[in-house]
Amino acid sequence: MIAPDLRLLLISNSTVFGGTYLGHVLPVIKTFLSGTSSILFVPYALKDHDGYAARARSAFESIGVELSSIHQASDPVAAVEAAEALFVGGGNTWRLLKAIQDRSLIEPVRRRVRGGMPYIGSSAGSNVSAPTIKTTNDMPIVMPASFEAFHLIPFQINPHFLDPDPNSRHMGETREERLVQYLEENDVPVAGLREGAWIRVTGGQAWLEGTTGARIFRRGSEPSERVPQDSLADLF
Amino acid sequence: MIAPDLRLLLISNSTVFGGTYLGHVLPVIKTFLSGTSSILFVPYALKDHDGYAARARSAFESIGVELSSIHQASDPVAAVEAAEALFVGGGNTWRLLKAIQDRSLIEPVRRRVRGGMPYIGSSAGSNVSAPTIKTTNDMPIVMPASFEAFHLIPFQINPHFLDPDPNSRHMGETREERLVQYLEENDVPVAGLREGAWIRVTGGQAWLEGTTGARIFRRGSEPSERVPQDSLADLF
């Protein structure tokens, strides 16, 4: 059962190969945000907040949405309370989550999004929409107080999901092997979102969209494939 | 200044492409352990401790070293205190570190190794020889009490170090980009050990060995290359 008010757009990656920043999803974002004229940006996943906010502002302005960045707000919690919509950008998931926790934003964001505020996440911003960041690909460059994140959805996301390369001579674990290890320790399903894929949750429904599909991992089952336009309601 | 008693063998990866388990390093391990007839194995990085110990036992027996596994010891701390040498196997660094912390093994291992007990680490086992596990490649499938590890060396290791693939269309961060992010948040050098490389510390000296070299990352400097047989004493 998906709450009819829940509005999420969870994007695997902000830039596809050869594309521009958010270029492959701007039409979708425009539709998703219809009726919304402004958005609050969370730039904490990258070190250069000003530069990151400028890049995001330029993309959103091109679809007629005014963007302000939370790092320029004197009171970040108040900024969340006042926001029309939220966009959490990609980068390093650990740096992002620690900054969110340090500013006591978990509860306010969760409450606002559960109350119907549209949430857009890309890459690390999609990771933090899950119960925990235990399925991030990122290097743990800083230690957050806990691995618990916004928990806007009841399953995990692995963004930038990568199929094994049959020609690789590299002996590090494949992405699938890493996710199987995750399921050895945790009984929560994972959606491996390939680059170019995203999840849209609106009107009490959840859809896989984009061009590349997703691979679903559940404890005790073989991984299964989903193709664009498949429902993901069974993960809720 | 490297303590003259310190004996470390820090291996990037246990199996090179097309090879057998530890095959590329068994002659080096044999020399490194000369005068030592037994070794204590730490299998916590994989879920199947029995199977992992059997695989490691077979490799060490082939060079005349008796292997016992710490997971079969009734008192793991006592097993460390009694060990002649230690081998920490690869797998998931998070699972490994949490198990080490849960069994209160950090201090006993650190004291024994600083006192001259030979330490062999492979992949995750090399990660935990560093001050922290902040340069692991692994998925954070469990949460340890802290990111602090054995701290047997004063720098970080990134095992399975991977150069960028110029033909890749994948948009996830390259390994180098991830390590640059690490240095944005931490001022501790990192040795990126390519597969097939290892670090040997004996007799108050530290050497890069193997076939593939390493890339050294320091805050404020361009990354630099080291080739096999180079000294790494400047990292200490």
Side-chain angles (χ1 to χ4, degrees), chain B residues 79-93:
Chain B
V80 167
E81 297 296 353
E84 267 196 289
L86 198 67
F87 172 43
V88 183
N92 183 286
T93 308

Side-chain angles (χ1 to χ4, degrees), chain A residues 95 171 184-186 195, chain B residues 95 141 171 184-185 195:
Chain A
R95 182 155 50 190
M171 297 299 288
E184 286 174 355
E185 303 288 340
N186 304 273
E195 294 190 348
Chain B
R95 182 155 51 190
I141 60 175
M171 298 299 289
E184 287 174 353
E185 303 289 340
E195 293 190 349

Side-chain angles (χ1 to χ4, degrees), chain A residues 13 15-18 45-47 91-92 94-95 133-147 158 160-162 168-173 175 178-179 181-182 184-186 195, chain B residues 13 15-18 45-47 91-92 94-95 133-147 158 160-162 168-173 175 178-179 181-182 184-186 195:
Chain A
N13 58 308
T15 312
V16 295
F17 183 77
L46 292 187
K47 188 175 174 63
N92 183 286
W94 300 88
R95 182 155 50 190
I133 63 163
K134 288 181 176 178
T135 51
T136 179
N137 306 310
D138 294 342
M139 199 165 268
I141 60 175
V142 295
M143 180 169 168
S146 96
F147 289 5
N158 179 250
H160 299 271
F161 180 77
L162 194 58
S168 173
R169 293 171 162 252
H170 190 69
M171 297 299 288
E173 289 87 347
R175 189 67 60 80
R178 297 179 190 280
L179 293 171
Q181 288 183 339
Y182 169 80
E184 286 174 355
E185 303 288 340
N186 304 273
E195 294 190 348
Chain B
N13 57 308
T15 311
V16 294
F17 182 76
L46 291 188
K47 187 175 174 65
N92 183 286
W94 300 88
R95 182 155 51 190
I133 63 163
K134 289 182 177 178
T135 52
T136 179
N137 306 310
D138 295 341
M139 201 167 266
I141 60 175
V142 294
M143 180 169 168
S146 96
F147 290 5
N158 179 250
H160 299 271
F161 180 77
L162 194 58
S168 172
R169 292 171 162 251
H170 189 69
M171 298 299 289
E173 289 87 347
R175 189 68 58 81
R178 296 180 190 281
L179 292 171
Q181 288 184 339
Y182 169 80
E184 287 174 353
E185 303 289 340
N186 304 272
E195 293 190 349

Side-chain angles (χ1 to χ4, degrees), chain A residues 5-231:
Chain A
D5 279 354
L6 195 62
R7 289 172 68 182
L8 309 174
L9 194 64
L10 306 175
I11 304 163
S12 174
N13 58 308
S14 57
T15 312
V16 295
F17 183 77
T20 57
Y21 181 66
L22 294 178
H24 69 302
V25 281
L26 275 179
V28 176
I29 290 176
K30 187 173 180 180
T31 305
F32 178 76
L33 289 179
S34 67
T36 307
S37 62
S38 69
I39 197 159
L40 182 67
F41 178 54
V42 177
Y44 300 139
L46 292 187
K47 188 175 174 63
D48 175 9
H49 298 167
D50 287 343
Y52 200 8
R55 185 150 48 112
R57 182 173 294 114
S58 169
F60 278 80
E61 278 180 355
S62 77
I63 55 168
V65 175
E66 189 187 347
L67 181 141
S68 60
S69 183
I70 198 168
H71 82 282
Q72 291 168 323
S74 55
D75 181 343
V77 170
V80 167
E81 297 296 352
E84 267 197 287
L86 198 67
F87 172 43
V88 183
N92 183 286
T93 307
W94 300 88
R95 182 155 50 190
L96 172 61
L97 182 63
K98 182 171 193 303
I100 287 167
Q101 290 174 348
D102 288 351
R103 290 160 182 78
S104 303
L105 294 173
I106 293 279
E107 282 301 330
V109 167
R110 189 181 288 159
R111 191 171 57 245
R112 286 294 323 277
V113 176
R114 289 184 180 170
M117 177 176 70
Y119 178 101
I120 304 174
S122 177
S123 192
S126 293
N127 269 128
V128 296
S129 74
T132 72
I133 63 163
K134 288 181 176 178
T135 51
T136 179
N137 306 310
D138 294 342
M139 199 165 268
I141 60 175
V142 295
M143 180 169 168
S146 96
F147 289 5
E148 288 176 26
F150 289 135
H151 201 156
L152 308 175
I153 54 175
F155 58 93
Q156 294 286 125
I157 288 180
N158 179 250
H160 299 271
F161 180 77
L162 194 58
D163 295 290
D165 173 1
N167 297 315
S168 173
R169 293 171 162 252
H170 190 69
M171 297 299 288
E173 289 87 347
T174 65
R175 189 67 60 80
E176 182 152 328
E177 286 167 347
R178 297 179 190 280
L179 293 171
V180 167
Q181 288 183 339
Y182 169 80
L183 290 175
E184 286 174 355
E185 303 288 340
N186 304 273
D187 192 5
V188 177
V190 187
L193 281 184
R194 293 188 181 86
E195 294 190 348
W198 60 87
I199 296 171
R200 179 171 59 84
V201 179
T202 50
Q205 303 286 335
W207 305 102
L208 176 66
E209 298 183 333
T211 53
T212 49
R215 196 158 171 83
I216 309 296
F217 298 83
R218 289 180 191 270
R219 179 181 273 189
S221 305
E222 287 297 302
S224 63
E225 281 293 316
R226 300 292 172 90
V227 298
Q229 315 314 327
D230 274 356
S231 170

